Amino acid sequence: DFKSTQVIIVHDKRDENTGIELRSIISRIDSPGLTLQEGFFGTAAGARNSALANCEGEWICFWDSDDQPNYELLIKSLDSSYDVVIGEFFVEIPTGLVTRVKHGSNDEQSLSRVSFNPGLWRMAFQSKVIKHLSFPEIVMGEDQCFLAQLNWNSLKTKYSGEVFYTYFSGWHTQTTGQGKSRLPLVLSLRFLQQLLEKKTGKEEFIRNMASRQFLTLLKSRGFKVKILAVIE
């Protein structure tokens, strides 16, 4: 039931069959709040930017098609006295093992944990907070670059103890799946470095995300990636 919400399904076209299937599903649901947006975006960043430009509601969140959001719990947790609402989430790997990622004991610790394990999809933002932003057109780390542009010191953030999302990790179809190159993270690191130079966003938050990306590059396969990581 999408009577009180706007849901934009973004299809980054790689074939014709997926679009046909999506249109069939939407026609069966028959809800005015559910729309399909198609295009040749090429990256998750392009797809999200396209949807962001067409969002009309008070709150905005971003979900991936290969994961499992908990729509009802997120909706119940929204509070207009806050700018951002962040939930906890499950991580499930192919073996079936499920881990719960929790908040800290206070807001400061919780934000620190978010910087090391962001999870854009377990966050809901007041539209006015992010409407002026965009995702950089890079293949990997674009979600962290988006979050890094926010001045978290000035935001009122609610940390909900509810689980908003189940993230399926380690699947070979994912951009960050096993065996996939981490080289695109170099572009993300450059973007984060530019934010630090411009003194945009919360410095500690950005440095925490950059340090994790840097370590990911160092652990990546291939000598070239390690050299680039050190240079960065």
Side-chain angles (χ1 to χ4, degrees):
D1 182 5
F2 302 115
K3 292 180 180 178
S4 62
T5 55
Q6 176 192 26
V7 177
I8 302 174
I9 298 176
V10 183
H11 175 209
D12 188 357
K13 295 185 70 171
R14 308 292 172 89
D15 62 74
E16 292 301 324
N17 293 333
T18 302
I20 294 171
E21 184 178 355
L22 288 172
R23 284 189 287 275
S24 174
I25 293 171
I26 290 173
S27 66
R28 290 199 299 271
I29 296 174
D30 189 26
S31 172
L34 179 60
T35 59
L36 174 64
Q37 195 168 305
E38 296 185 285
F40 297 94
F41 303 108
T43 63
R48 288 174 180 151
N49 285 333
S50 177
L52 184 59
N54 292 292
C55 288
E56 299 174 353
E58 180 185 357
W59 291 91
I60 298 175
C61 58
F62 302 93
W63 293 335
D64 295 333
S65 62
D66 51 358
D67 295 323
Q68 183 178 319
N70 195 326
Y71 168 82
E72 291 183 354
L73 283 181
L74 184 144
I75 293 296
K76 289 178 181 178
S77 298
L78 296 181
D79 185 337
S80 295
S81 61
Y82 290 91
D83 299 306
V84 186
V85 177
I86 303 177
E88 298 183 349
F89 65 98
F90 290 129
V91 178
E92 182 173 339
I93 61 176
T95 62
L97 179 66
V98 178
T99 304
R100 182 168 180 165
V101 179
K102 299 181 178 181
H103 298 309
S105 58
N106 54 54
D107 286 2
E108 183 178 355
Q109 189 180 80
S110 294
L111 183 59
S112 178
R113 290 189 179 186
V114 168
S115 67
F116 284 111
N117 209 338
L120 173 72
W121 19 257
R122 47 107 169 220
M123 304 179 188
F125 306 88
Q126 286 258 24
S127 176
K128 62 184 180 183
V129 173
I130 63 170
K131 262 294 196 175
H132 64 290
L133 301 178
S134 62
F135 293 85
E137 292 279 354
I138 54 181
V139 177
M140 194 176 293
E142 79 291 334
D143 49 351
Q144 297 181 39
C145 291
F146 183 82
L147 294 173
Q149 297 175 72
L150 293 169
N151 184 356
W152 290 92
N153 288 328
S154 65
L155 298 178
K156 293 184 64 178
T157 304
K158 174 183 176 181
Y159 296 96
S160 170
E162 301 287 359
V163 173
F164 286 175
Y165 203 82
T166 298
Y167 173 71
F168 296 98
S169 176
W171 301 87
H172 66 87
T173 55
Q174 294 175 305
T175 306
T176 54
Q178 293 179 357
K180 298 293 179 68
S181 172
R182 299 300 195 274
L183 189 57
L185 276 179
V186 172
L187 297 178
S188 177
L189 274 172
R190 287 175 180 166
F191 187 93
L192 295 178
Q193 179 62 38
Q194 290 171 356
L195 291 180
L196 289 173
E197 291 172 356
K198 297 175 183 177
K199 299 188 183 303
T200 300
K202 180 178 174 64
E203 181 177 351
E204 181 183 359
F205 188 87
I206 297 173
R207 291 193 181 280
N208 288 347
M209 288 199 294
S211 65
R212 182 174 179 182
Q213 291 186 9
F214 182 77
L215 289 174
T216 299
L217 279 171
L218 288 179
K219 290 188 290 184
S220 297
R221 297 175 182 177
F223 183 71
K224 182 180 180 181
V225 173
K226 289 181 173 61
I227 291 296
L228 287 172
V230 172
I231 291 174
E232 287 300 306

